[in-house]
């Protein structure tokens, strides 16, 4: 199923305000309410999707997270618990790092100035995820303005004059019914200061779009869905305020041999029917570069799983390794020489039925059914 954008679902532009979103939702919900369509499945699914979209967009915090991370913001990445207290954060932590400033009792001043968090999608091979790796990534984002060193002013004398709108508080108060609402000052954008002669390069923001290269450390054992926080490497803040954080979202490339379930590596291994009957061994190229020999016991069945302990993936932020599992697929020959056929015919002539006990019992039950 194609995932539809929440804004598209409700038919509103990305910048739509709360009232517009609410109105669009009401209209759509009325249109595709299941009661009106005699339980038509498509309409029901659409109704659900619309509700899901509205649930997120009506809530400013969820909406900001969605704008930032897309639906990934609401998926459970916290199931992996990779770095303990280290570089990793589950969703709730991402939430608090984005929105923490809103809740900060020090107020709006900091909030308006902090740089936004950034997302970077990183694709890794199984081998890279196994060993861990340093990657150099290129980012195009707001960085500290070089000519003014992030201060936003053309000369030192024009820097940091107290904003007259808010008196340097960085926020203004407005009455809304019974409530007094505080919001960021529109003149100084929450910084509490104005600049009479702004820097030409950044127009007083103290930050400008820059290309930069960044070396990031990827620990061993990361998997699809692992998020790594690189503190302070997001967008630069306004006029020297704190920078946002950078979040690396790990995606795994397909591997030609191994599928992965957590720390377990699984390989589908076709073996000839003679090897399955007589036993033998196969060699797999291990993820660590060493060969792994899998012993095949005589009489192995198709679908049987042979486990090789400690030959799987590394454990994220832990010790040891998972297992390697060889899933046996017994292959029936399709191209045989006349001599091979002759030998097999000879084998069949000597069969008593005891060679394959499962088949014997199966056909025995069939015979019983026919009486
Ligand atoms: Zn102000
Ligand atoms: Zn500047």
């Amino acid at each position: 199923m194609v995932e539809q954008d929440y804004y598209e679902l409700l038919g509103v532009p990305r910048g739509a305000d709360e009232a517009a979103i609410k109105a669009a939702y009401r209209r759509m919900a009325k249109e595709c309410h299941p009661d009106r369509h005699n339980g038509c499945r498509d309409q029901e699914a659409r109704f659900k999707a619309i509700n899901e979209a509205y649930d997120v967009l009506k809530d400013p915090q969820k909406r900001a997270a969605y704008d930032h991370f897309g639906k990934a913001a609401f998926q459970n990445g916290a199931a992996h618990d990779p770095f303990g207290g280290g570089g990793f954060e589950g969703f709730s932590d991402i939430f608090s790092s984005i929105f923490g400033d809103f809740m900060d009792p020090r107020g709006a001043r900091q909030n308006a100035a902090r740089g936004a968090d950034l997302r970077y999608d990183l694709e890794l091979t199984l081998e890279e995820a196994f060993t861990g790796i340093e990657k150099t990534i290129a980012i195009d984002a707001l960085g500290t303005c070089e000519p003014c060193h992030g201060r936003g002013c053309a000369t030192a004398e024009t820097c940091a004059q107290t904003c007259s709108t808010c008196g340097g508080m960085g926020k203004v108060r407005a009455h809304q019914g019974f409530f007094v609402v505080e919001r960021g000052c529109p003149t100084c954008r929450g910084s509490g200061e104005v600049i009479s002669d702004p820097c030409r390069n950044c127009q007083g923001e103290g930050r400008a779009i820059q290309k930069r290269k960044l070396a990031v450390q990827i620990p061993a054992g990361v998997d699809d869905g692992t998020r790594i926080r690189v503190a302070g490497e997001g967008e630069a803040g306004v006029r020297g305020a704190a920078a946002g954080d950078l979040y690396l979202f790990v995606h795994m490339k397909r591997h030609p041999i191994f599928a992965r379930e957590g720390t377990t590596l699984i390989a589908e291994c076709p073996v000839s029917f003679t090897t399955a009957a007589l036993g033998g061994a196969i060699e797999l190229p291990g993820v660590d570069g060493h060969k792994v020999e899998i012993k095949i016991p005589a009489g192995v069945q198709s679908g049987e799983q042979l486990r090789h302990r400690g030959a799987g993936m590394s454990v994220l932020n832990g010790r040891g390794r998972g297992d390697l599992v060889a899933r046996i697929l017994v292959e029936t020959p399709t191209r045989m020489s006349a001599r091979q056929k002759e030998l097999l015919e000879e084998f069949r002539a000597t069969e008593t039925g005891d060679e394959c006990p499962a088949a014997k019992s199966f056909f025995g039950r069939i015979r019983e059914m026919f009486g």
Side-chain angles (χ1 to χ4, degrees), residues 252-303:
M252 296 301 301
K253 279 185 192 151
R254 276 188 81 87
H255 190 271
I257 293 171
F258 294 119
R260 178 177 177 186
E261 277 170 20
T263 57
T264 306
L265 293 177
I266 302 154
E268 302 269 353
C269 302
V271 297
S272 71
F273 79 125
T274 44
T275 303
L278 302 173
I282 43 171
E283 252 178 15
L284 293 174
V287 69
D288 57 3
H290 294 105
K291 285 177 184 163
V292 182
E293 196 189 67
I294 307 273
K295 291 222 161 29
I296 307 212
V300 74
Q301 299 295 327
S302 217

Side-chain angles (χ1 to χ4, degrees), residues 118-123 134-142 209-216 218 230 233-234 246-248:
L118 293 175
R119 168 183 177 146
Y120 190 95
D121 292 277
L122 190 62
E123 217 186 20
E134 181 180 293
K135 281 267 179 190
T136 303
I137 60 174
I139 306 173
D140 246 0
L142 286 172
I209 293 283
Q210 282 165 2
K211 284 186 197 304
R212 62 191 156 103
K213 283 196 171 157
L214 188 67
V216 290
I218 311 297
V230 188
E233 294 294 351
L246 170 70
Y247 288 89
L248 303 171

Side-chain angles (χ1 to χ4, degrees), residues 9-347:
L9 258 169
L10 294 180
V12 293
R14 291 195 89 78
D17 61 19
E18 269 173 63
I21 288 172
K22 193 171 181 178
Y25 165 72
R26 286 199 166 157
R27 200 180 58 243
M28 307 280 287
K30 225 186 237 173
E31 234 176 70
C32 37
H33 195 277
D35 291 350
R36 291 184 134 209
H37 294 272
N38 306 320
C40 163
R41 288 189 75 89
D42 278 356
Q43 287 296 338
E44 227 177 277
R46 192 149 166 254
F47 185 66
K48 251 178 92 178
I50 287 163
N51 273 297
E52 187 190 305
Y54 180 59
D55 196 53
V56 169
L57 297 188
K58 75 177 178 196
D59 180 331
Q61 293 191 2
K62 286 186 187 171
R63 183 178 175 181
Y66 175 74
D67 287 348
H68 225 74
F69 296 115
K71 284 185 194 165
F74 309 103
Q75 279 152 10
N76 185 16
H80 309 265
D81 187 15
F83 303 112
F88 177 84
E89 292 195 328
F91 178 52
S92 63
D93 294 321
I94 289 181
F95 235 96
S96 63
S97 79
I98 299 170
F99 303 109
D101 294 344
F102 287 111
M103 324 300 185
D104 194 323
R106 282 169 296 179
R109 182 168 170 149
Q110 230 194 344
N111 166 37
R114 182 187 184 267
D117 293 331
L118 293 175
R119 168 183 177 146
Y120 190 95
D121 292 277
L122 190 62
E123 217 186 20
L124 297 175
T125 64
L126 192 68
E127 287 79 7
E128 288 172 331
F130 173 75
T131 54
I133 191 170
E134 181 180 293
K135 281 267 179 190
T136 303
I137 60 174
I139 306 173
D140 246 0
L142 286 172
T144 303
C145 174
E146 277 162 17
C148 68
H149 305 287
R151 300 179 74 189
C153 38
T155 63
E157 293 75 52
T158 59
C159 269
Q161 287 154 341
T162 304
C163 169
S164 56
T165 307
C166 61
M169 295 296 288
K171 51 196 172 184
V172 288
R173 290 177 171 209
H175 292 272
Q176 250 178 32
F178 294 108
F179 301 101
V180 178
V181 184
E182 268 191 354
R183 58 166 71 103
C185 170
T187 308
C188 61
R189 295 217 259 158
S191 72
E193 292 165 349
V194 286
I195 291 164
S196 56
D197 185 15
C199 163
R200 312 287 182 278
N201 185 53
C202 63
Q203 281 79 44
E205 274 256 316
R207 53 185 191 169
I209 293 283
Q210 282 165 2
K211 284 186 197 304
R212 62 191 156 103
K213 283 196 171 157
L214 188 67
V216 290
Q217 292 294 336
I218 311 297
V222 293
D223 199 352
D224 251 331
T226 303
R227 285 184 286 228
I228 301 166
R229 186 171 77 116
V230 188
E233 294 294 351
E235 282 185 356
V238 175
R239 266 170 266 153
D245 298 328
L246 170 70
Y247 288 89
L248 303 171
F249 282 57
V250 173
H251 304 275
M252 296 301 301
K253 279 185 192 151
R254 276 188 81 87
H255 190 271
I257 293 171
F258 294 119
R260 178 177 177 186
E261 277 170 20
T263 57
T264 306
L265 293 177
I266 302 154
E268 302 269 353
C269 302
V271 297
S272 71
F273 79 125
T274 44
T275 303
L278 302 173
I282 43 171
E283 252 178 15
L284 293 174
V287 69
D288 57 3
H290 294 105
K291 285 177 184 163
V292 182
E293 196 189 67
I294 307 273
K295 291 222 161 29
I296 307 212
V300 74
Q301 299 295 327
S302 217
E304 220 169 287
Q305 304 203 9
L306 305 176
R307 187 171 289 267
H308 200 290
R309 296 215 180 269
M313 278 304 275
S314 37
V315 179
L316 190 55
N317 205 29
R319 290 157 168 278
R321 293 171 63 178
D323 299 340
L324 188 153
V325 168
R327 202 173 275 159
I328 299 300
L329 295 171
V330 177
E331 204 180 16
T332 309
T334 50
R335 285 183 227 166
M336 287 188 290
S337 66
R339 170 75 183 131
Q340 287 172 321
K341 277 185 192 163
E342 202 183 327
L343 284 169
L344 277 181
E345 285 296 355
E346 218 173 289
F347 175 77

